[in-house]
Amino acid sequence: EREDNYEQVRYYMELLRKIGYKNVSGYLWYVYKNEIKEVWKTALHSLNSDIINKTKKEYLRYDTIS
């Protein structure tokens, strides 16, 4: 489990809220352990801006790889 995985899901959750979805939930599924972890509904504005920028960069990196 890495904190940046949680941060990435929080980022997606916030994007869904911004486009109008309500009651957004986020989960991480660790396939090899067969564990599902809930990602708490922490708003991005309460996160450190460095973390937000890092998450955005990671998203862009993942997006260009796939």
Side-chain angles (χ1 to χ4, degrees):
E1 294 180 37
R2 293 181 4 202
E3 182 59 30
D4 57 337
N5 294 332
Y6 286 87
E7 292 165 9
Q8 186 174 11
V9 173
R10 286 185 196 112
Y11 176 72
Y12 295 144
M13 292 168 67
E14 186 65 22
L15 288 176
L16 290 169
R17 284 190 200 98
K18 284 182 178 181
I19 62 171
Y21 286 92
K22 297 179 181 180
N23 301 320
V24 175
S25 299
Y27 297 88
L28 287 167
W29 176 28
Y30 294 97
V31 178
Y32 294 113
K33 295 179 180 181
N34 197 28
E35 289 181 1
I36 297 174
K37 303 281 186 167
E38 183 174 9
V39 177
W40 296 102
K41 300 174 184 177
T42 304
L44 280 176
H45 59 77
S46 67
L47 296 175
N48 181 308
S49 62
D50 292 337
I51 293 172
I52 294 170
N53 291 332
K54 179 180 179 243
T55 303
K56 288 179 184 175
K57 287 177 189 172
E58 285 296 311
Y59 169 74
L60 293 173
R61 186 173 69 85
Y62 291 134
D63 194 40
T64 57
I65 292 172
S66 31

